[in-house]
Amino acid sequence: MIAIIDYGMGNLHSVSKAIERLGYEVISTDQPDQILSADAVILPGVGAFGDAMHNLNETGLGEVAKQYAASGKPMLGICLGMQLLFEQSEEYGLHQGLGLLQGKVVKFQGDFKIPHMGWNKLTFLQSSPLFSSLEEGHVYFVHSYHALVDNKQNLLATGDYYGPVTAIVANENVYGMQFHPEKSGELGMELLRNFLALSARSLPV
């Protein structure tokens, strides 16, 4: 069972359908017991960082997400969900994140179009089970803010938008993808498949 955390700010339908196409049972839920008992958890996100953290804090789902991350079972943040994994964001003020990854989220700066929207090629920076049997290819981004990763060992892949852009991160069992794998064609689906496969070898709780 794969659980998608429903805190009121995510594109739950498209992620859920992608997981179903890969042959997994999936539930979108705000119930802590269903989240904590899942074999893998996905934290989606669309919108502003501060609003998302407010919802997570008000519902208690932020603490549930941290508890799940501590279980050793695989967890994935997608788009804003990836940014929420970090310590803080500068989006419309300074906001504290979940703190599961060291670093902060900042706005793109430069004389170019913002948001960063479209297909960009991934560059794999180190080996990961996410990249098993995969070659670098293009994935679909939509974002105005990007993550600066403190520990480069947590940076698995970058895209390019007038310079390197954090694309995939990991800290032990916690993963994040800035792009939308469910909207990124074959490569996106294979990355999602490789993440979900981690649920078969995750640590028991």
Side-chain angles (χ1 to χ4, degrees), residues 72-88:
K73 295 188 289 186
M75 178 177 177
L76 172 66
I78 294 177
C79 196
L80 174 61
M82 185 203 84
Q83 296 181 3
L84 297 172
L85 301 175
F86 285 87
E87 294 170 304
Q88 60 181 219

Side-chain angles (χ1 to χ4, degrees), residues 42-59:
I42 293 179
L43 179 66
V46 175
F49 189 104
D51 293 339
M53 282 306 305
H54 173 79
N55 286 9
L56 286 170
N57 291 331
E58 284 291 303
T59 59

Side-chain angles (χ1 to χ4, degrees), residues 91-181:
E91 186 175 3
Y92 303 114
L94 191 63
H95 304 280
Q96 299 305 306
L98 295 173
L100 299 174
L101 285 154
Q102 293 182 325
K104 64 180 179 179
V105 177
V106 300
K107 190 168 187 177
F108 281 111
Q109 299 292 333
D111 187 20
F112 49 81
K113 184 179 178 180
I114 301 171
H116 170 209
M117 181 182 300
W119 294 82
N120 290 85
K121 186 176 181 181
L122 290 179
T123 298
F124 298 160
L125 301 180
Q126 51 187 305
S127 61
S128 168
L130 291 187
F131 306 150
S132 177
S133 302
L134 299 184
E135 296 183 359
E136 297 174 348
H138 289 72
V139 292
Y140 187 72
F141 291 83
V142 182
H143 61 127
S144 299
Y145 290 76
H146 63 108
L148 301 178
V149 183
D150 286 354
N151 185 348
K152 297 308 177 185
Q153 291 183 340
N154 296 147
L155 183 59
L156 300 186
T158 57
D160 180 69
Y161 192 63
Y162 299 91
V165 176
T166 296
I168 304 178
V169 292
N171 181 17
E172 298 181 348
N173 58 303
V174 177
Y175 295 83
M177 299 180 187
Q178 177 61 71
F179 53 93
H180 287 273

